[in-house]
Amino acid sequence: MTSSFSYDVLVIGAGLAGMRAAIAAHNQGASVALLTKVHPVRSHSNAAQGGINAALTDRGDHWEDHAFETVKGSDYLSDQDAVEVLAQEAGQDIITLEHMGVIFNRNEEGHLGTRRFGGQKRARTFFVSDFTGQAMLHVLYEQTMQAQIPVYEEWFVTSLVKDDQGRCAGVVAFEIRTGTFALFRAKAVIMATGGLGRVYEPSTNALICTGDGMAVAYRAGAPLMDMEMVQYHPTTLKGKGLLITEAARGEGAYLLNSKGERFMERYAPNMLELASRDVVSRAEQIEINEGRGIKGCVLLDCRHLGRAFLQDRLGQIYAEAKTFANIDLAEEPLPIRPGMHYQMGGIKTDTEGRCWDVQDQWAGVPGLFAAGETACVSLHGGNRLGANSLLDTVVFGRRAGACAAEYANTIPPPTIPESAMEADKHLVAGIVSRKGPGERAAALRLEMGTTMNRYVSVFREEEGMETALHHITTLKRRWPDLTIQDKGQVFNTGLIAALELGFMLDCAEAIIVGALTRQESRGAHFRTDFLDRDDEHWLKHVLLYHRPDNPPQVEYLPVRITQWQPQIRVY
């Protein structure tokens, strides 16, 4: 049994970027649907804790300051025209969210309250305690329901389909509940599938963050850009990878080594614990590597903040510390260490979310859009500032949705035959029917994740990355022989795991190839064999194009600079 659906705009992923895009496209009059492998409020946007940045002029803040600190945080790899859009439009999007119903914390005067986040000199981060992403996600889901936008939840996308002119014309997907395949025809498709954190083990990311959208777009011909730029968050729980929000340091928490020293005084004497994330993560790792850590960790000290303050402003991490580490933050420091957190690279887009260049400076897939962590409009460059990720989802989700609706108005409905599903159906049937004592996806996934965390993390060098590439290439060769126990169609989680692993291996390869290509240290990409930033040769983006059964094709794009010339980056 097969079926098909048709829309003007189809959004893949129903987190903050996806729902904001769907609402924007709907408001433009397009017929829109959301397709997601989990229920929308189970999207990973839930995990965003600390807040969302914006410079409001009535606070005496200026968008130019926010933009400059974002560019500086990126180690000058961000495209400055995109950063300017982000900073200029942030304030209105905050007000729009508040009007939609996001109950931001307020200060003693009753105005929207702010806290300070890393890499920024002013407190411009608006927040809802320490569960800001969750609060925003539920409000946008209410907006989606109010707009009566159809949501196909628990559907899994296997590939993009293109028309005879090479334009994106929809996707092939199957319903996880029944195993039934369907063809979703669409004039425009927006990828908003989030990150790829589970390429690494451990990670702060949810188990669903497997790079599906990046890999599907990549296989269809869209370039991935700056994939080597993988952010390690400075404060995660050892072993579990659980995120401890930067808001703790924003509210005044300290980082201590085994000697009780606030070691950030040595690495960032002006910004201390609120230097950019790559700087803090490297400082922590150096302390650990040089023997001033405690069992592979350093300490986050919140004791001086007081229990009442912690429970009010940081209640979620207060509870998590007790639940997962049996530590009362009001009484003792919490052992933390750097952990994989965010992918600054992704599907190359322009500032309207298009995954193709209208001036033909880079190739892509017309009709395909992307937004959020799965996209790389190049806001974050070599290092994302905390609280810019939620802002990215709403600003560029909105812009992608509006542009996709406008684009859909210019073309006729695609005429794609249902036979477009046959290759994907054959692939899935082959995985399900495969017999024998073959390898399991979980074992390969763990090997992939630990390999990436060992060789492509806070510090990198050529020999280690070549070792990682060899391991990942070997895993890609072993993937076609995976076997799964469940041979049924209903909620076949083994099948999902196998398909996700295939996507993750493509993403892992792209990360390593990008990292080997970039022969310098910039932002989160720190090479011990190339210690310095090299603006003369590497002030450019690395683009990767998929080539089946061959290494990715590497191309380059210049960084777009508007008003901030690269300078020495100190905190």
Short mmCIF file of all heavy atoms in Angstrom, two decimals, residues 425-436 482-484 486-488 492 495:
data_model
loop_
_atom_site.label_atom_id
_atom_site.label_comp_id
_atom_site.label_asym_id
_atom_site.label_seq_id
_atom_site.Cartn_x
_atom_site.Cartn_y
_atom_site.Cartn_z
N LYS A 425 12.12 1.95 -1.22
CA LYS A 425 11.40 0.77 -0.73
C LYS A 425 12.27 -0.48 -0.84
O LYS A 425 12.29 -1.34 0.05
CB LYS A 425 10.10 0.60 -1.51
CG LYS A 425 9.07 1.68 -1.21
CD LYS A 425 7.94 1.72 -2.21
CE LYS A 425 6.96 0.60 -2.02
NZ LYS A 425 5.77 0.78 -2.90
N HIS A 426 13.01 -0.56 -1.94
CA HIS A 426 13.91 -1.70 -2.14
C HIS A 426 15.02 -1.71 -1.08
O HIS A 426 15.36 -2.77 -0.54
CB HIS A 426 14.50 -1.65 -3.55
CG HIS A 426 15.44 -2.77 -3.84
ND1 HIS A 426 15.02 -4.06 -4.09
CD2 HIS A 426 16.81 -2.80 -3.94
CE1 HIS A 426 16.06 -4.84 -4.31
NE2 HIS A 426 17.16 -4.09 -4.23
N LEU A 427 15.59 -0.52 -0.78
CA LEU A 427 16.64 -0.42 0.24
C LEU A 427 16.12 -0.89 1.60
O LEU A 427 16.77 -1.70 2.28
CB LEU A 427 17.12 1.03 0.35
CG LEU A 427 18.05 1.35 1.53
CD1 LEU A 427 19.39 0.63 1.39
CD2 LEU A 427 18.27 2.86 1.67
N VAL A 428 14.96 -0.41 1.99
CA VAL A 428 14.40 -0.77 3.30
C VAL A 428 14.07 -2.25 3.34
O VAL A 428 14.36 -2.94 4.34
CB VAL A 428 13.16 0.10 3.60
CG1 VAL A 428 12.35 -0.48 4.76
CG2 VAL A 428 13.59 1.53 3.92
N ALA A 429 13.48 -2.76 2.28
CA ALA A 429 13.14 -4.18 2.25
C ALA A 429 14.40 -5.04 2.37
O ALA A 429 14.39 -6.09 3.03
CB ALA A 429 12.39 -4.51 0.96
N GLY A 430 15.48 -4.59 1.75
CA GLY A 430 16.74 -5.34 1.83
C GLY A 430 17.30 -5.38 3.24
O GLY A 430 17.79 -6.42 3.69
N ILE A 431 17.20 -4.24 3.96
CA ILE A 431 17.69 -4.21 5.34
C ILE A 431 16.86 -5.13 6.22
O ILE A 431 17.38 -5.91 7.03
CB ILE A 431 17.66 -2.77 5.89
CG1 ILE A 431 18.65 -1.88 5.13
CG2 ILE A 431 17.96 -2.74 7.39
CD1 ILE A 431 18.54 -0.40 5.46
N VAL A 432 15.54 -5.08 6.06
CA VAL A 432 14.65 -5.86 6.90
C VAL A 432 14.81 -7.36 6.65
O VAL A 432 14.80 -8.18 7.59
CB VAL A 432 13.18 -5.43 6.68
CG1 VAL A 432 12.22 -6.37 7.40
CG2 VAL A 432 12.97 -4.00 7.16
N SER A 433 15.00 -7.74 5.40
CA SER A 433 15.02 -9.17 5.05
C SER A 433 16.40 -9.81 5.21
O SER A 433 16.52 -11.03 5.13
CB SER A 433 14.56 -9.34 3.59
OG SER A 433 15.47 -8.72 2.70
N ARG A 434 17.43 -8.99 5.44
CA ARG A 434 18.78 -9.52 5.50
C ARG A 434 18.91 -10.55 6.63
O ARG A 434 18.52 -10.29 7.77
CB ARG A 434 19.77 -8.37 5.70
CG ARG A 434 21.20 -8.70 5.35
CD ARG A 434 22.05 -7.44 5.44
NE ARG A 434 21.67 -6.47 4.41
CZ ARG A 434 21.64 -5.15 4.60
NH1 ARG A 434 21.96 -4.64 5.77
NH2 ARG A 434 21.29 -4.35 3.62
N LYS A 435 19.46 -11.71 6.31
CA LYS A 435 19.60 -12.79 7.29
C LYS A 435 21.05 -12.92 7.73
O LYS A 435 21.94 -12.31 7.17
CB LYS A 435 19.12 -14.11 6.70
CG LYS A 435 17.61 -14.16 6.42
CD LYS A 435 17.22 -15.51 5.86
CE LYS A 435 15.70 -15.63 5.79
NZ LYS A 435 15.09 -14.62 4.92
N GLY A 436 21.25 -13.73 8.75
CA GLY A 436 22.61 -14.00 9.21
C GLY A 436 22.95 -13.26 10.49
O GLY A 436 22.24 -12.35 10.91
N LEU A 482 24.79 -4.71 7.74
CA LEU A 482 24.08 -4.69 9.02
C LEU A 482 22.86 -5.60 8.98
O LEU A 482 22.18 -5.72 7.95
CB LEU A 482 23.59 -3.27 9.33
CG LEU A 482 24.59 -2.22 9.81
CD1 LEU A 482 23.85 -0.92 10.09
CD2 LEU A 482 25.32 -2.69 11.05
N THR A 483 22.55 -6.20 10.11
CA THR A 483 21.30 -6.96 10.22
C THR A 483 20.50 -6.42 11.40
O THR A 483 21.06 -5.86 12.35
CB THR A 483 21.56 -8.46 10.44
OG1 THR A 483 22.33 -8.63 11.64
CG2 THR A 483 22.31 -9.07 9.27
N ILE A 484 19.18 -6.58 11.31
CA ILE A 484 18.30 -6.16 12.39
C ILE A 484 17.43 -7.35 12.79
O ILE A 484 17.11 -8.21 11.96
CB ILE A 484 17.43 -4.96 11.98
CG1 ILE A 484 16.55 -5.29 10.78
CG2 ILE A 484 18.30 -3.75 11.69
CD1 ILE A 484 15.59 -4.17 10.40
N ASP A 486 14.25 -7.20 14.22
CA ASP A 486 12.83 -7.01 13.95
C ASP A 486 12.58 -7.05 12.44
O ASP A 486 13.15 -6.27 11.69
CB ASP A 486 12.39 -5.66 14.52
CG ASP A 486 10.88 -5.45 14.44
OD1 ASP A 486 10.19 -6.28 13.83
OD2 ASP A 486 10.41 -4.44 14.99
N LYS A 487 11.74 -7.96 12.00
CA LYS A 487 11.43 -8.08 10.57
C LYS A 487 10.05 -7.50 10.24
O LYS A 487 9.55 -7.66 9.13
CB LYS A 487 11.46 -9.56 10.15
CG LYS A 487 12.79 -10.27 10.48
CD LYS A 487 13.98 -9.62 9.80
CE LYS A 487 15.27 -10.36 10.12
NZ LYS A 487 16.46 -9.69 9.52
N GLY A 488 9.43 -6.86 11.22
CA GLY A 488 8.10 -6.32 11.01
C GLY A 488 8.12 -4.90 10.48
O GLY A 488 9.16 -4.31 10.24
N ASN A 492 9.50 -0.20 13.72
CA ASN A 492 10.74 -0.98 13.59
C ASN A 492 11.93 -0.06 13.91
O ASN A 492 12.54 0.54 13.03
CB ASN A 492 10.86 -1.56 12.19
CG ASN A 492 11.96 -2.61 12.09
OD1 ASN A 492 12.95 -2.55 12.82
ND2 ASN A 492 11.79 -3.57 11.20
N LEU A 495 15.29 -0.75 12.21
CA LEU A 495 15.40 -0.19 10.87
C LEU A 495 15.76 1.29 10.91
O LEU A 495 16.64 1.75 10.17
CB LEU A 495 14.07 -0.39 10.12
CG LEU A 495 13.93 0.31 8.78
CD1 LEU A 495 14.97 -0.19 7.78
CD2 LEU A 495 12.52 0.16 8.23
#
